[in-house]
Amino acid sequence: MGFQLILLAVIMSMAISRLTGTKISLKKQILAALASVIATTAIYWFGYLRGRDPDSFGADGWIWLVSMVVVSMLFYLLFEMFDPLPIGERSSGIRNPFRRFAAWWQRQRRYIQVLIIALRHGVGRNLSARRTPESYERLAVSLRRTLEDCGGFFIKFGQVLSTRSDLLPAEFINELSKLQENVSRLTTAEVEAILNKELPQPKDEMFLEFEMEPLAAASIGQVHRAVLRENRKKVVVKLLRPRITAALQRDLDILVRFAAWTANQSVWARKIGFTDLARGFSEAMKEETDFRIEARNFAQVSASLADSRTKVRIPHVYKEASNAKILVMEYMDGMSVKSGTALLEARGIDRREVQRQIFDCVLEQIFFKGIFHADPHPGNVYILNDGTPALLDFGSVGRLGTLQQDALKRLLIGFEHRNTYVVMESLLLLAESRPDVDKEGLEQAVSQLLVQTAYDPAGGSEAFIQGLFRMIAEFEFSFYPNVAGAFRSLITLEGTLLQLNPSFSLMNEARRFVQEHSPEFMPAGGSADWKQTAANELLELLPVIRKLPRRLDNLASMLEKGEVSVKVGFFADKTNASFITRWISQLLLAFTGTAFGGISIGLLYLGDRGGGEGAQFVTLFGYTGLVVSAVLLIRVAIYAVRNIKQMKE
């Protein structure tokens, strides 16, 4: 009998796995089918078949077989729902199922803790409130307190959000700017352990001196000063905190889930792409925990500025001594730009000239090189002892393609010449495309913005950029992440250079930069340039021109034969695909609830006809199944009602 049950379970597993299509292991398939066979057979035997003629096979036998099939599918669904890892991650990571479940349970506990903190500070209540300046203020305070209490990378996420004035109202920017990290320093024993494990040779053989007292400490790592034994050059050694990767993975996973919960609670949070912001931050933080990426950023920016007109220094990275967890680079002897003004005055160096050098260096990176320092705050901009400026910390860099660089150039030229059409077309190239953009309304808004900032004595930089961000939010589309990063870099740079030169004007300096680099911005300056530009454009069009006659001939032939067809890519739109996916999932849930109901009715039928000792037991299971069926179907109905409300909003 036991062998027959196992054989039936194997056959059931092979058949049902084809019906369900779930990606679980063969062992789980067999266990699910075996559990179904044992459960349904036991109920069928003790609840109905015992004491009856076993040779007869009527409607009750068919109910048993159908129930076995459906219960097997439900067990498959159970394994799919409670597998802690997504499908794509089952072949990697923690293979031990007990350790994997423990990790999953820790994430669930942390997620519940974060939700409790958020609810305690009133995030849910303030998210549902009507959007007014007062409600924005209350929500900003709630969010800041929540991120503060959650600590760790949640604080860092809030600090990043405080730079997104293109998406968030001023109330959020002001409130989130108050967030400060309180990071404990690594102990001497921890520093020694990292050095012994990660350095290619013993510490005393590599370094003549190594200061255990750190220069700075942050959430990801901390920095120490040292002297190389080989060439006696001063260096700084950046150490990755131990066990940071596991904590990072856990907190970032929870941060994304918290952002998704926030977006689910608020239409406003969905419109600004709060979940996408969290995902983007998560990807950036994962890169920052691999110092090989930062070393590559240093090398790429240094190479791009090899022919730069500016004299800005970038530290040299010692790749042979660096790896994913240790970064050894040149020590820059100087002070931050905030403290560097006194040094420049003492040496008789013009602060405005140093400011121009730093500004031109960053604009060269953005407009011409395509890779730029994404966070030039005062701590990352140094003035060396000889008065030379330097850029530090390339853990965060941005990259722009040639199309985006050209659009930024056109945006700057359009602002300079007050050309509404050029500014609007540049904006549309820099923002994520939307088919329903009100171009006429956008053109009117751009025209008004140019008029408002035309005669600003300060140059109109802040008003123009903030106006662009307000326009983007008003028309409900957003800059590409790397473009938004370029704007954030410029805004951060403006605040940094104001400390060096209080009369600094971003737009005035940008105009000067365009004039000094006019060949790069407008290459067609003379007749020779015009000819070269025309030749380049013609070369780009030649392949299209050569194919045009053949394509016109093919089109004419198809029209003549009546073979012209139109293909509509409905699922090419992410919104449509997401909509269909959500409703299919709800249909599957509705099917599951209906299946529970059908099985339960069958059990009630068996219990009613069976009589005997097991009838009450079978009837109990039947009523329990009806309850489960009702819960699932009610859940589908609630989901449908919520979606209808969201569509109306």
Side-chain angles (χ1 to χ4, degrees):
M1 183 65 178
F3 174 76
Q4 292 175 343
L5 288 178
I6 294 175
L7 181 61
L8 183 58
V10 172
I11 297 173
M12 188 68 62
S13 171
M14 295 172 62
I16 304 303
S17 63
R18 302 296 298 176
L19 294 175
T20 58
T22 52
K23 297 182 180 179
I24 55 179
S25 66
L26 178 62
K27 180 177 67 175
K28 289 182 179 179
Q29 292 178 12
I30 295 175
L31 286 175
L34 184 60
S36 172
V37 170
I38 293 174
T40 55
T41 303
I43 294 173
Y44 179 57
W45 174 264
F46 289 105
Y48 179 76
L49 195 61
R50 189 173 59 173
R52 293 178 178 270
D53 183 7
D55 294 332
S56 62
F57 190 85
D60 50 339
W62 286 109
I63 291 175
W64 168 54
L65 290 178
V66 172
S67 299
M68 190 184 302
V69 172
V70 177
V71 170
S72 295
M73 296 174 68
L74 293 176
F75 271 112
Y76 277 17
L77 178 62
L78 192 67
F79 281 127
E80 191 66 34
M81 290 172 59
F82 290 96
D83 195 333
L85 290 181
I87 290 173
E89 298 179 9
R90 287 173 187 156
S91 59
S92 60
I94 304 173
R95 294 183 177 273
N96 187 308
F98 297 103
R99 291 178 59 191
R100 194 169 70 184
F101 180 79
W104 172 82
W105 176 245
Q106 288 177 359
R107 288 199 301 272
Q108 302 310 307
R109 289 180 58 189
R110 174 65 168 156
Y111 178 57
I112 293 171
Q113 180 189 26
V114 169
L115 284 183
I116 291 174
I117 293 172
L119 293 173
R120 186 173 70 240
H121 287 301
V123 172
R125 181 178 64 254
N126 291 320
L127 279 172
S128 60
R130 188 178 182 84
R131 297 275 73 83
T132 63
E134 293 76 17
S135 67
Y136 275 133
E137 181 69 31
R138 292 194 299 271
L139 179 57
V141 172
S142 299
L143 182 61
R144 192 259 301 166
R145 289 175 177 172
T146 298
L147 297 175
E148 210 165 39
D149 284 359
C150 292
F153 297 103
F154 286 83
I155 292 178
K156 199 168 185 69
F157 178 57
Q159 292 172 333
V160 170
L161 288 180
S162 70
T163 68
R164 292 305 304 265
S165 52
D166 58 324
L167 293 176
L168 298 176
E171 294 85 354
F172 283 83
I173 304 301
N174 297 333
E175 195 66 32
L176 295 176
S177 299
K178 301 175 184 177
L179 288 169
Q180 297 291 332
E181 286 185 287
N182 295 315
V183 181
S184 60
R185 297 182 174 185
L186 297 175
T187 64
T188 301
E190 288 176 321
V191 173
E192 290 280 4
I194 295 171
L195 294 174
N196 292 335
K197 182 180 180 181
E198 300 299 336
L199 284 176
Q201 59 190 97
K203 182 194 72 172
D204 294 336
E205 294 181 13
M206 178 169 286
F207 300 112
L208 188 65
E209 299 175 14
F210 189 96
E211 296 183 7
M212 286 296 173
E213 186 68 20
L215 288 173
S219 56
I220 290 178
Q222 68 182 37
V223 178
H224 295 260
R225 188 159 45 188
V227 178
L228 289 173
R229 182 175 292 277
E230 182 180 359
N231 52 22
R232 295 181 178 272
K233 288 188 175 181
K234 294 181 180 180
V235 295
V236 291
V237 182
K238 191 174 180 180
L239 306 177
L240 186 71
R241 286 181 175 272
R243 299 173 298 278
I244 191 66
T245 305
L248 176 78
Q249 185 66 41
R250 184 199 66 186
D251 271 10
L252 291 181
D253 173 65
I254 292 165
L255 177 63
V256 172
R257 292 176 63 186
F258 171 71
W261 172 81
T262 304
N264 190 50
Q265 299 294 314
S266 167
V267 175
W268 168 78
R270 287 195 296 276
K271 284 183 177 179
I272 68 168
F274 197 66
T275 307
D276 291 334
L277 286 173
R279 288 198 182 103
F281 171 77
S282 174
E283 294 302 319
M285 290 303 297
K286 288 174 184 177
E287 285 193 0
E288 288 193 33
T289 57
D290 188 345
F291 289 160
R292 292 172 298 187
I293 295 176
E294 185 172 353
R296 183 193 66 193
N297 294 340
F298 269 106
Q300 289 179 340
V301 175
S302 297
S304 70
L305 296 177
D307 58 349
S308 173
R309 303 180 191 179
T310 65
K311 300 178 181 178
V312 178
R313 291 275 309 279
I314 294 175
H316 170 72
V317 174
Y318 294 88
K319 291 185 178 180
E320 65 278 2
S322 304
N323 56 36
K325 298 183 179 180
I326 289 185
L327 186 65
V328 181
M329 52 190 165
E330 177 186 3
Y331 174 71
M332 308 298 265
D333 198 1
M335 56 191 68
S336 71
V337 69
K338 186 176 182 179
S339 307
T341 53
L343 185 149
L344 294 174
E345 290 177 357
R347 291 186 173 272
I349 299 173
D350 187 0
R351 290 186 296 173
R352 289 175 298 180
E353 178 59 29
V354 175
Q355 163 245 295
R356 289 194 187 101
Q357 292 284 326
I358 299 169
F359 182 78
D360 288 5
C361 180
V362 175
L363 259 67
E364 278 186 29
Q365 296 172 38
I366 292 175
F367 286 103
F368 307 139
K369 307 303 181 181
I371 180 170
F372 60 91
H373 198 303
D375 192 21
H377 63 74
N380 287 339
V381 181
Y382 254 45
I383 306 297
L384 304 185
N385 289 337
D386 61 357
T388 304
L391 292 177
L392 309 180
D393 192 355
F394 283 83
S396 177
V397 300
R399 290 177 172 83
L400 294 170
T402 54
L403 291 177
Q404 292 163 337
Q405 287 176 298
D406 289 341
L408 282 171
K409 292 175 186 176
R410 292 176 61 188
L411 179 67
L412 195 55
I413 293 170
F415 174 75
E416 173 66 19
H417 293 280
R418 305 294 168 186
N419 189 311
T420 301
Y421 180 78
V422 172
V423 171
M424 185 188 74
E425 289 299 315
S426 302
L427 281 177
L428 292 175
L429 288 173
L430 294 171
E432 296 183 13
S433 59
R434 279 189 52 188
D436 56 342
V437 173
D438 179 10
K439 289 189 177 182
E440 292 184 0
L442 180 61
E443 188 173 1
Q444 290 294 326
V446 170
S447 177
Q448 288 296 317
L449 177 63
L450 291 176
V451 171
Q452 292 168 7
T453 58
Y455 305 106
D456 191 330
S461 58
E462 183 176 357
F464 179 67
I465 293 177
Q466 295 298 335
L468 287 181
F469 289 156
R470 284 195 301 271
M471 236 182 333
I472 291 292
E474 179 184 346
F475 286 87
E476 295 183 3
F477 61 99
S478 59
F479 288 122
Y480 288 108
N482 44 10
V483 174
F487 280 119
R488 288 199 308 273
S489 180
L490 289 174
I491 294 171
T492 305
L493 181 66
E494 182 179 30
T496 299
L497 295 182
L498 280 171
Q499 298 190 8
L500 192 62
N501 176 18
S503 62
F504 171 78
S505 167
L506 179 66
M507 297 311 294
N508 287 341
E509 287 297 314
R511 292 188 184 100
R512 174 193 60 78
F513 183 83
V514 172
Q515 293 171 0
E516 294 179 0
H517 296 78
S518 57
E520 290 92 340
F521 274 85
M522 294 173 288
S527 60
D529 291 331
W530 278 107
K531 291 179 182 178
Q532 184 62 44
T533 302
N536 291 338
E537 294 291 336
L538 183 60
L539 284 173
E540 291 182 6
L541 288 173
L542 273 178
V544 179
I545 295 172
R546 289 173 60 188
K547 295 176 182 178
L548 189 59
R550 186 171 66 253
R551 289 181 175 175
L552 288 173
D553 182 60
N554 291 338
L555 179 60
S557 299
M558 292 171 66
L559 285 170
E560 185 179 355
K561 297 176 182 178
E563 295 178 350
V564 177
S565 61
V566 178
K567 182 170 69 174
V568 180
F570 181 79
F571 291 101
D573 187 353
K574 291 183 179 179
T575 304
N576 294 338
S578 176
F579 175 81
I580 295 298
T581 301
R582 287 199 306 268
W583 280 103
I584 287 177
S585 67
Q586 292 307 302
L587 285 174
L588 292 175
L589 194 60
F591 169 76
T592 304
T594 306
F596 261 111
I599 294 172
S600 302
I601 292 172
L603 291 175
L604 291 174
Y605 168 76
L606 292 176
D608 183 59
R609 288 191 58 189
E613 299 177 359
Q616 293 182 350
F617 181 71
V618 174
T619 303
L620 177 62
F621 267 95
Y623 283 117
T624 303
L626 285 177
V627 172
V628 173
S629 175
V631 169
L632 292 175
L633 294 176
I634 291 171
R635 178 175 173 176
V636 172
I638 292 173
Y639 181 88
V641 171
R642 286 182 176 177
N643 271 276
I644 292 171
K645 288 182 177 179
Q646 290 173 4
M647 290 171 65
K648 288 181 178 179
E649 291 176 350

